[in-house]
Amino acid sequence: MSNLASSKGIQILRESSPVVLEAIGNVNFIELEEFMKKKHNDVIKAASENGACVFCGFDIRSPEEWCAVLSATGLQPTPYVGGAAVRKLCVGSNEGSMQTLQVVTANESPPSEPIPPHHELAQTPEPPSHICFYCQENDPVPGGGGTPICRSDEMLDFLVLKYPGFVQRLETAGVKYVKITPAVDDPTSALGRSWKSMYHVQTKEEAEKRMKEQGSTWEWINNNNDCRITSPRLPAIRTCSNGRKAFFNQILAAYTGWIDSRNDPKKAIIFADDHSPMPSDIMDELVAYFDKNKFVHPWKAGDFMIIDNTVSCHSRESFDTDNGRRRRKVMAAIANGIDNNPNKSITTNLVLSTGDLIPSVGLGCWKIDKAVGANTVYQAIKSGYRLIDSAADYGNEIQTGQGIRQALAEGICTRSELFIVTKLWNSFHSHVDEAIEKSLRDLDLDYVDLYLIHFPIHQKYVPISQRYPPEWVDPDAAFPRVELDHSITYEQTWRGMERQVERGLAKNIGVCNIGTTMLQEVLNYCKIKPTVLQVEMHPLNTQQRLLRFARTNGIQVMAFSNLASASYVELGMATQSDSLLQNATVTKIAQSNSVTPAQVLLRWAVQRGTIIIPKSSKSSRLIQNIDLFHFALSDSEMTELDNLNCNRRFNDPGHFCQVAFNTFCPIYE
C-alpha cells in the first residue's frame, strides 16, 4: 500500500478488503491516468490481494474519461458475451478489434429488484478476470443503490469449516446453470437479456453456433421464440489470482435471483452429475454470510471500483427512484487478463465513444510550409507523435501523406498506431463524399481516424477541377469576398459526415469552432455522435463552460492555438504584446518547474483534459512540445493560469473575414 500512498493527490482511506483511495483536492481523469501509468501493477496487485480497489472523489465526468483511466491499467478488453442482464453499450463497438474496454450500462433490471451476489459471467466457460464499475450520476438521497462486494476466498474458508462435504461435492461434481432467455430484451427482469443481444446475433442459427462454441446445450420453446440454455459442466470452486481457492460461481445469484415469468430459481442451478438442486439450508446460510461480511461503498459521481472477479463477488442493492426523479447512472466494464506493460505511448491517451484511443498530444499541420511538410511529419512520428492534425484548407495534405508513408515504410509504427485527422472545408458542405475522397487521395490513405467539419460556415461549392483548396475567396475575383450558400443546413452536412463512417472512410467524426448551443443541437439529431470538438483554447480563452459541457457528454476537446497569439502575429491578427510566452505568470511557473513557458501552456492544456496540436517544423521544438509528462502543475498554478482568461479569440471569422475578405461572417456572439 505504501506505493499507492506515496502518490501526489491521492490518499488511502481503507487499507484492506477492499483498498479505498481518495483524491486530495481536484484530481481529474488525466492526472489519474498518469497515476495509473506509473502504478498500474500496484493497483492490480492490491485488487488481487484485497478483492477490489475503490477510487472516490475524482473528477471523472463521462464513461469515455473513465475508460481512458482503465486503459492505463493493463486490463485487457473482452466483449460482453453470455450475460443474462439487459445492458446498453456506452463506449466501444461490438464490431472489429477492441482498443479499449467496452463500457456498458450496469444491470438494467428494475431498481426495486436487488441483484444477488455473483461472480460476473461465472456461468460461462471463460469468465472475465475483472469487472469494473463507475458512477457518473447519483443524486445524494437515501434509498440504497450501492454495489456490495465480498471476498469469495474467505467465503470458501467458511464453507470448508462448516460444510466440508458440500465443498467436496462441488469440487467433484461441478455445476450446471439453466436459464430461459427471450427473443427480445425484457427490461422488467434482472435476467431479461435476449439470446440475440446475449450472443450479438440476429438468427437462431448464429445463436446455436455461439452456444455450441461455449459447450452449452439448448432447446427452443414457447413457439420457438425463447431458448432454454444449459451450460456445460462448470467448476464452482476455482483458484484466485492471489493463489487461494474461492467460491467462484453464480450459485447464489441463480438460486436467489434467477426468477421471472420464464425462470424458476430452484431449477436454475444444479449439480452437474445427477442434476439435483442445491441444498437450500446451505444456500440460505451463504446469503446470510454475504450480508454480514459485505462491503458497501456509497456511490458518488466520479467514483469507480476495480474488482478482481476471481477473488470477490458483487451484488446490487435495490434503490428508490423517487418516482423517476432520482438520477443514478452506474456503468460497467469487464476485462480478461492483464498486460503488464500497457503504457507504450509517451503521452496520455483519451478514449472516444467508439472505443478508439486518441493521443493527448499531436502535431498540428496548419501553416507548415509544403517544402518541409513531409519531413516535419516524418520527424514528428519518429519523435513519438502518433496524432497528426491536417485539413484540406491547409494545402499540405500531399506532403503530410508523404511523411506518413516514409514513417510507415521504415517501420517506425504501424498505420493502426497512428491517429490521422483531416477536415471538411466550407465549400464542400453539400459534397462531403467528394471532399473526403480527395483528402484520402492526397494523404494516400484508405481511411482517416477522424473527420471534422472545419467551420459552421456554408460556402458556395467550388469544383475541385476549378480551384483546390478553394480557400475563403477566389483570389482572381475583382472584389474577393466569401460566397455563402444559405440553402445548406448544418444537419444536412452532418448527415454527409455520418455517411463517411458508414462507408468506412472515417472511423470517427466531429466538429470544430462551435459552441454549446450548436453542439447540443447536433446531439439532438445525430445518428452518430460527434466524438471530438476542436476549438481555440488557451489561458486567454479558457472556455470553461464549453469544456464542461463537452466532458459531461463524452465529447473529447481538441484545443488549437495552444500558445495563444504565437501563430497569428505574422498574419497581422495579433501583436507581440498579446504573447503569453512573456507573461509574468507563465514565466514564473516555468521557472518554478524548470521548464519553458511553452511547456507550461501545453501542460496546462493537457492537464485540464484536452488534446493539443502544437505546430513546429524544428526537431528540437517537436521533442520539447511532447515532453510534458515529467512534471505536473499544482492546483494553485492551474488556477493562476485559468485566471488569465479574458475571452480573447485570435481565430474569429467574424473579425478576419470582414478585414481580409470584405464579408461579415460571425460564428460567435
Side-chain angles (χ1 to χ4, degrees), residues 479-493:
F479 188 73
R481 61 181 300 119
V482 180
E483 299 290 342
L484 301 175
D485 186 343
H486 299 291
S487 68
I488 306 169
T489 67
Y490 202 78
E491 182 176 355
Q492 289 171 333
T493 303

Side-chain angles (χ1 to χ4, degrees), residues 32-338:
L32 190 52
E33 182 183 342
E34 291 184 277
F35 163 82
M36 289 293 189
K37 283 171 74 76
K38 298 173 183 175
K39 304 288 187 178
H40 57 93
N41 286 329
D42 296 319
V43 169
I44 297 303
K45 182 180 179 182
S48 175
E49 293 177 348
N50 297 277
C53 273
V54 180
F55 295 78
C56 55
F58 293 90
D59 179 18
I60 304 174
R61 305 285 180 88
S62 70
E64 288 85 355
E65 293 186 354
W66 177 52
C67 196
V69 174
L70 292 182
S71 71
T73 64
L75 293 172
Q76 292 298 282
T78 187
Y80 193 88
V81 177
V86 176
R87 300 179 187 271
K88 295 175 184 175
L89 186 63
C90 302
V91 177
S93 171
N94 289 321
E95 301 175 2
S97 60
M98 299 170 63
Q99 289 189 0
T100 58
L101 276 65
Q102 288 180 334
V103 177
V104 298
T105 52
N107 192 321
E108 293 192 326
S109 61
S112 59
E113 298 294 324
I115 298 172
H118 64 285
H119 286 264
E120 196 68 19
L121 296 177
Q123 78 278 23
T124 65
E126 296 184 13
S129 61
H130 295 78
I131 181 165
C132 310
F133 292 101
Y134 157 67
C135 179
Q136 185 176 16
E137 281 185 290
N138 192 33
D139 287 340
V141 296
T147 303
I149 58 177
C150 181
R151 289 187 59 161
S152 293
D153 51 355
E154 295 177 353
M155 187 182 293
L156 182 61
D157 292 341
F158 163 78
L159 280 174
V160 169
L161 285 174
K162 193 161 187 180
Y163 299 106
F166 175 64
V167 173
Q168 185 177 5
R169 179 84 194 280
L170 285 176
E171 290 193 290
T172 302
V175 295
K176 287 186 177 182
Y177 302 91
V178 183
K179 64 176 176 287
I180 298 173
T181 60
V184 179
D185 284 349
D186 177 6
T188 67
S189 168
L191 54 154
R193 197 178 188 198
S194 70
W195 52 264
K196 289 181 180 179
S197 61
M198 182 184 297
Y199 294 112
H200 303 310
V201 298
Q202 293 298 319
T203 67
K204 293 177 182 177
E205 291 75 19
E206 291 172 330
E208 289 175 357
K209 180 180 178 182
R210 289 290 183 91
M211 289 185 284
K212 186 176 181 180
E213 290 172 351
Q214 290 191 344
S216 299
T217 58
W218 62 89
E219 179 186 1
W220 297 102
I221 59 175
N222 300 335
N223 296 320
N224 281 333
N225 289 320
D226 298 344
C227 186
R228 179 186 286 115
I229 305 169
T230 303
S231 76
R233 177 194 180 279
L234 294 171
I237 296 171
R238 313 190 199 205
T239 301
C240 303
S241 64
N242 60 26
R244 302 189 68 210
K245 285 188 174 182
F247 189 66
F248 180 174
N249 51 61
Q250 284 261 15
I251 290 176
L252 288 182
Y255 183 83
T256 62
W258 285 17
I259 180 170
D260 60 11
S261 61
R262 294 168 295 274
N263 291 275
D264 179 352
K266 298 299 185 291
K267 300 177 181 178
I269 177 67
I270 54 179
F271 285 106
D273 54 359
D274 62 2
H275 292 189
S276 60
M278 297 290 112
S280 58
D281 57 334
I282 298 178
M283 296 297 99
D284 293 340
E285 194 156 353
L286 282 174
V287 171
Y289 176 91
F290 178 87
D291 288 338
K292 180 181 178 181
N293 293 278
K294 66 187 178 184
F295 169 86
V296 185
H297 177 69
W299 285 121
K300 294 180 181 178
D303 292 356
F304 71 97
M305 61 175 67
I306 298 174
I307 301 173
D308 189 315
N309 194 44
T310 73
V311 179
S312 289
C313 59
H314 66 278
S315 65
R316 188 204 71 186
E317 298 176 323
S318 61
F319 59 96
D320 182 6
T321 63
D322 190 24
N323 294 318
R325 290 188 290 268
R326 177 186 179 183
R327 294 175 296 178
R328 179 187 183 275
K329 277 188 180 179
V330 176
M331 299 171 193
I334 59 173
N336 206 5
I338 303 291

Side-chain angles (χ1 to χ4, degrees), residues 450-488:
L450 175 63
Y451 198 44
L452 299 170
I453 301 176
H454 207 148
F455 282 98
I457 297 171
H458 312 300
Q459 291 183 233
K460 288 185 177 179
Y461 171 64
V462 178
I464 291 173
S465 58
Q466 179 178 327
R467 188 173 73 250
Y468 191 87
E471 303 184 62
W472 287 96
V473 298
D474 180 355
D476 298 324
F479 188 73
R481 61 181 300 119
V482 180
E483 299 290 342
L484 301 175
D485 186 343
H486 299 291
S487 68
I488 306 169

